[in-house]
Amino acid sequence: MVSDEKAARGIDQAVFGQLPDGRQVDVYRFTNANGIEMRVINYGGIILSLKTPDAQGEFDDIVMGFDSLDDYLSDEYRQANPYFGALIGRYGNRIAGGRFSLDGETHSLATNDGDNHLHGGRQGFDRVLWQAEPFENDEGAGLVLRYTSEDGEEGYPGRLETEVTYTLTDADELVVDYRATTDKATPVNLTQHSYFNLEGEGRGSILDHHLTINADAFTPVDDTLIPTGEIRPVEGTPFDFTQPTPIGERIEQDNEQLMFGKGYDHNFVLAEQAASSSEPVLAARVWEPDSGRLLEIATTEPGIQFYSGNFLAGDLTGKRGQAYEHRSGFALETQHYPDSPNQADFPSTILEAGETYRSRTIYRFSAQESAGS
């Protein structure tokens, strides 16, 4: 294991464990010039921990996860599979019925969320061993992760060569760059599935976090969380986070969409159509009042999935030895919209042979005394 002591700017690497087939899993620790520390393993591209300062300069870990590989491989975790900290692919979010048609051919995918396909299937990118290459440059330090998904894997067409780069910068940012190429047209929708609690992981509810989402609309879902195809304005609904609002303020309102998701588990249509630009656009801000920590997320993606930890049930124990209770972490997954391969009016997620998929998301860490705007 890697020590929890804060290191000087740079990179440490150690053995984290072994997979059942004997392959070694490594853990990489990156520390920037200001003491922010991130640990990543090459299994699933999982972000194990992320330590940032509060308004008083005290560091704490703000992402959920475990200290041992065995915890990620356990039957208990695999059954619940909250995807703590993992890279998601080929397709983040849901595809209705585990089926889509492309170029006149119907493709059948694994159905691992009721009748639907979720987060790449039973053996998604969150459960594969990535090739890892650490690096340092003038901006900071990070890790390049590479994985080749063969033609037919989980039912997807095409051989997809994927590269994801994590860069922890000295500007207190985590930059995630996604790149992929294919030899055959295929849906691609990559994302990162860290759960945050800005007070510190294992420290209770996230319902007092103040959330702002740069979205005037969201995509309503049916009772299996598949989008209906409608783009619905957030104004006048519990989904209006255009101004800083505590996550818990309206989460228990009598609302059909909240009932379907058991809280928030919805895609928000970002006000700036960032997918048409190579420059990331501010998607969300989250501020926690006790610590003063502020998380800002910018992306080139057109949507962001806000999930309020509704299915956390206290049956998984995290790094502090604390049970991860209901709504003790939130996820903000930058993405294209769910079920886009079956929704002609949604932005396309089809990557053609000869094209290159590119996406960038930036997480900015700071602290301040008020929610701000």
Side-chain angles (χ1 to χ4, degrees), residues 220-237:
V221 295
D222 64 18
D223 61 359
T224 71
L225 301 182
I226 293 293
T228 63
E230 178 188 358
I231 304 292
R232 183 180 297 177
V234 300
E235 187 176 4
T237 78

PDB file of all heavy atoms in Angstrom, residues 220-237:
ATOM      1  N   PRO A 220     -36.471  14.069 -19.219  1.00  0.00           N
ATOM      2  CA  PRO A 220     -37.308  13.220 -18.352  1.00  0.00           C
ATOM      3  C   PRO A 220     -37.186  11.753 -18.753  1.00  0.00           C
ATOM      4  O   PRO A 220     -36.853  11.420 -19.903  1.00  0.00           O
ATOM      5  CB  PRO A 220     -38.721  13.741 -18.614  1.00  0.00           C
ATOM      6  CG  PRO A 220     -38.560  15.080 -19.236  1.00  0.00           C
ATOM      7  CD  PRO A 220     -37.264  15.050 -19.972  1.00  0.00           C
ATOM      8  N   VAL A 221     -37.480  10.876 -17.797  1.00  0.00           N
ATOM      9  CA  VAL A 221     -37.315   9.440 -18.005  1.00  0.00           C
ATOM     10  C   VAL A 221     -38.614   8.705 -17.691  1.00  0.00           C
ATOM     11  O   VAL A 221     -39.530   9.240 -17.061  1.00  0.00           O
ATOM     12  CB  VAL A 221     -36.185   8.888 -17.110  1.00  0.00           C
ATOM     13  CG1 VAL A 221     -34.837   9.475 -17.515  1.00  0.00           C
ATOM     14  CG2 VAL A 221     -36.465   9.168 -15.625  1.00  0.00           C
ATOM     15  N   ASP A 222     -38.662   7.428 -18.127  1.00  0.00           N
ATOM     16  CA  ASP A 222     -39.767   6.573 -17.727  1.00  0.00           C
ATOM     17  C   ASP A 222     -39.394   5.860 -16.425  1.00  0.00           C
ATOM     18  O   ASP A 222     -38.367   6.170 -15.820  1.00  0.00           O
ATOM     19  CB  ASP A 222     -40.128   5.588 -18.848  1.00  0.00           C
ATOM     20  CG  ASP A 222     -39.001   4.602 -19.174  1.00  0.00           C
ATOM     21  OD1 ASP A 222     -38.075   4.418 -18.351  1.00  0.00           O
ATOM     22  OD2 ASP A 222     -39.045   4.008 -20.266  1.00  0.00           O
ATOM     23  N   ASP A 223     -40.198   4.901 -16.013  1.00  0.00           N
ATOM     24  CA  ASP A 223     -39.946   4.279 -14.714  1.00  0.00           C
ATOM     25  C   ASP A 223     -38.760   3.322 -14.717  1.00  0.00           C
ATOM     26  O   ASP A 223     -38.384   2.792 -13.672  1.00  0.00           O
ATOM     27  CB  ASP A 223     -41.198   3.590 -14.178  1.00  0.00           C
ATOM     28  CG  ASP A 223     -41.712   2.480 -15.080  1.00  0.00           C
ATOM     29  OD1 ASP A 223     -41.103   2.243 -16.148  1.00  0.00           O
ATOM     30  OD2 ASP A 223     -42.736   1.855 -14.734  1.00  0.00           O
ATOM     31  N   THR A 224     -38.129   3.107 -15.882  1.00  0.00           N
ATOM     32  CA  THR A 224     -36.874   2.339 -15.933  1.00  0.00           C
ATOM     33  C   THR A 224     -35.672   3.253 -16.170  1.00  0.00           C
ATOM     34  O   THR A 224     -34.574   2.777 -16.447  1.00  0.00           O
ATOM     35  CB  THR A 224     -36.916   1.268 -17.033  1.00  0.00           C
ATOM     36  OG1 THR A 224     -36.853   1.882 -18.325  1.00  0.00           O
ATOM     37  CG2 THR A 224     -38.169   0.420 -16.926  1.00  0.00           C
ATOM     38  N   LEU A 225     -35.880   4.560 -16.080  1.00  0.00           N
ATOM     39  CA  LEU A 225     -34.851   5.595 -16.213  1.00  0.00           C
ATOM     40  C   LEU A 225     -34.320   5.741 -17.629  1.00  0.00           C
ATOM     41  O   LEU A 225     -33.200   6.216 -17.843  1.00  0.00           O
ATOM     42  CB  LEU A 225     -33.696   5.359 -15.222  1.00  0.00           C
ATOM     43  CG  LEU A 225     -34.107   5.348 -13.733  1.00  0.00           C
ATOM     44  CD1 LEU A 225     -32.903   5.147 -12.839  1.00  0.00           C
ATOM     45  CD2 LEU A 225     -34.856   6.630 -13.354  1.00  0.00           C
ATOM     46  N   ILE A 226     -35.140   5.374 -18.619  1.00  0.00           N
ATOM     47  CA  ILE A 226     -34.831   5.613 -20.022  1.00  0.00           C
ATOM     48  C   ILE A 226     -35.498   6.925 -20.447  1.00  0.00           C
ATOM     49  O   ILE A 226     -36.688   7.132 -20.180  1.00  0.00           O
ATOM     50  CB  ILE A 226     -35.336   4.463 -20.909  1.00  0.00           C
ATOM     51  CG1 ILE A 226     -34.552   3.183 -20.604  1.00  0.00           C
ATOM     52  CG2 ILE A 226     -35.233   4.817 -22.386  1.00  0.00           C
ATOM     53  CD1 ILE A 226     -33.087   3.219 -20.988  1.00  0.00           C
ATOM     54  N   PRO A 227     -34.767   7.842 -21.111  1.00  0.00           N
ATOM     55  CA  PRO A 227     -35.373   9.103 -21.536  1.00  0.00           C
ATOM     56  C   PRO A 227     -36.586   8.887 -22.434  1.00  0.00           C
ATOM     57  O   PRO A 227     -36.611   7.977 -23.275  1.00  0.00           O
ATOM     58  CB  PRO A 227     -34.250   9.803 -22.302  1.00  0.00           C
ATOM     59  CG  PRO A 227     -32.995   9.232 -21.741  1.00  0.00           C
ATOM     60  CD  PRO A 227     -33.320   7.795 -21.431  1.00  0.00           C
ATOM     61  N   THR A 228     -37.585   9.736 -22.242  1.00  0.00           N
ATOM     62  CA  THR A 228     -38.796   9.677 -23.077  1.00  0.00           C
ATOM     63  C   THR A 228     -38.575  10.315 -24.433  1.00  0.00           C
ATOM     64  O   THR A 228     -39.390  10.137 -25.343  1.00  0.00           O
ATOM     65  CB  THR A 228     -39.949  10.396 -22.379  1.00  0.00           C
ATOM     66  OG1 THR A 228     -39.603  11.794 -22.237  1.00  0.00           O
ATOM     67  CG2 THR A 228     -40.223   9.800 -20.997  1.00  0.00           C
ATOM     68  N   GLY A 229     -37.491  11.094 -24.579  1.00  0.00           N
ATOM     69  CA  GLY A 229     -37.227  11.840 -25.798  1.00  0.00           C
ATOM     70  C   GLY A 229     -37.532  13.318 -25.661  1.00  0.00           C
ATOM     71  O   GLY A 229     -37.101  14.130 -26.469  1.00  0.00           O
ATOM     72  N   GLU A 230     -38.266  13.675 -24.601  1.00  0.00           N
ATOM     73  CA  GLU A 230     -38.616  15.072 -24.358  1.00  0.00           C
ATOM     74  C   GLU A 230     -37.414  15.836 -23.797  1.00  0.00           C
ATOM     75  O   GLU A 230     -36.613  15.286 -23.035  1.00  0.00           O
ATOM     76  CB  GLU A 230     -39.770  15.148 -23.352  1.00  0.00           C
ATOM     77  CG  GLU A 230     -40.200  16.558 -22.974  1.00  0.00           C
ATOM     78  CD  GLU A 230     -41.209  16.604 -21.845  1.00  0.00           C
ATOM     79  OE1 GLU A 230     -41.617  15.532 -21.357  1.00  0.00           O
ATOM     80  OE2 GLU A 230     -41.590  17.723 -21.439  1.00  0.00           O
ATOM     81  N   ILE A 231     -37.285  17.094 -24.179  1.00  0.00           N
ATOM     82  CA  ILE A 231     -36.368  18.040 -23.542  1.00  0.00           C
ATOM     83  C   ILE A 231     -37.251  18.996 -22.743  1.00  0.00           C
ATOM     84  O   ILE A 231     -37.968  19.815 -23.317  1.00  0.00           O
ATOM     85  CB  ILE A 231     -35.525  18.818 -24.573  1.00  0.00           C
ATOM     86  CG1 ILE A 231     -34.759  17.852 -25.493  1.00  0.00           C
ATOM     87  CG2 ILE A 231     -34.572  19.775 -23.877  1.00  0.00           C
ATOM     88  CD1 ILE A 231     -33.676  17.056 -24.833  1.00  0.00           C
ATOM     89  N   ARG A 232     -37.224  18.889 -21.418  1.00  0.00           N
ATOM     90  CA  ARG A 232     -38.170  19.616 -20.580  1.00  0.00           C
ATOM     91  C   ARG A 232     -37.482  20.762 -19.837  1.00  0.00           C
ATOM     92  O   ARG A 232     -36.430  20.557 -19.212  1.00  0.00           O
ATOM     93  CB  ARG A 232     -38.824  18.679 -19.565  1.00  0.00           C
ATOM     94  CG  ARG A 232     -39.883  19.329 -18.688  1.00  0.00           C
ATOM     95  CD  ARG A 232     -40.488  18.322 -17.717  1.00  0.00           C
ATOM     96  NE  ARG A 232     -41.182  17.242 -18.429  1.00  0.00           N
ATOM     97  CZ  ARG A 232     -41.747  16.201 -17.804  1.00  0.00           C
ATOM     98  NH1 ARG A 232     -41.674  16.109 -16.472  1.00  0.00           N
ATOM     99  NH2 ARG A 232     -42.358  15.271 -18.520  1.00  0.00           N
ATOM    100  N   PRO A 233     -38.038  21.965 -19.855  1.00  0.00           N
ATOM    101  CA  PRO A 233     -37.451  23.069 -19.086  1.00  0.00           C
ATOM    102  C   PRO A 233     -37.428  22.747 -17.592  1.00  0.00           C
ATOM    103  O   PRO A 233     -38.353  22.119 -17.067  1.00  0.00           O
ATOM    104  CB  PRO A 233     -38.378  24.250 -19.384  1.00  0.00           C
ATOM    105  CG  PRO A 233     -39.053  23.898 -20.674  1.00  0.00           C
ATOM    106  CD  PRO A 233     -39.201  22.412 -20.651  1.00  0.00           C
ATOM    107  N   VAL A 234     -36.370  23.191 -16.911  1.00  0.00           N
ATOM    108  CA  VAL A 234     -36.263  22.972 -15.469  1.00  0.00           C
ATOM    109  C   VAL A 234     -37.047  24.000 -14.675  1.00  0.00           C
ATOM    110  O   VAL A 234     -37.365  23.772 -13.498  1.00  0.00           O
ATOM    111  CB  VAL A 234     -34.788  22.984 -15.004  1.00  0.00           C
ATOM    112  CG1 VAL A 234     -33.993  21.885 -15.695  1.00  0.00           C
ATOM    113  CG2 VAL A 234     -34.139  24.357 -15.235  1.00  0.00           C
ATOM    114  N   GLU A 235     -37.383  25.127 -15.283  1.00  0.00           N
ATOM    115  CA  GLU A 235     -38.038  26.216 -14.567  1.00  0.00           C
ATOM    116  C   GLU A 235     -39.333  25.736 -13.912  1.00  0.00           C
ATOM    117  O   GLU A 235     -40.155  25.063 -14.528  1.00  0.00           O
ATOM    118  CB  GLU A 235     -38.350  27.371 -15.517  1.00  0.00           C
ATOM    119  CG  GLU A 235     -38.884  28.599 -14.815  1.00  0.00           C
ATOM    120  CD  GLU A 235     -39.088  29.770 -15.768  1.00  0.00           C
ATOM    121  OE1 GLU A 235     -38.873  29.592 -16.986  1.00  0.00           O
ATOM    122  OE2 GLU A 235     -39.468  30.861 -15.286  1.00  0.00           O
ATOM    123  N   GLY A 236     -39.460  26.055 -12.631  1.00  0.00           N
ATOM    124  CA  GLY A 236     -40.662  25.689 -11.901  1.00  0.00           C
ATOM    125  C   GLY A 236     -40.699  24.247 -11.443  1.00  0.00           C
ATOM    126  O   GLY A 236     -41.730  23.767 -10.968  1.00  0.00           O
ATOM    127  N   THR A 237     -39.584  23.527 -11.576  1.00  0.00           N
ATOM    128  CA  THR A 237     -39.515  22.121 -11.178  1.00  0.00           C
ATOM    129  C   THR A 237     -38.412  21.930 -10.136  1.00  0.00           C
ATOM    130  O   THR A 237     -37.551  22.802  -9.955  1.00  0.00           O
ATOM    131  CB  THR A 237     -39.212  21.206 -12.382  1.00  0.00           C
ATOM    132  OG1 THR A 237     -37.805  21.273 -12.686  1.00  0.00           O
ATOM    133  CG2 THR A 237     -40.024  21.611 -13.612  1.00  0.00           C
TER     134      THR A 237
END
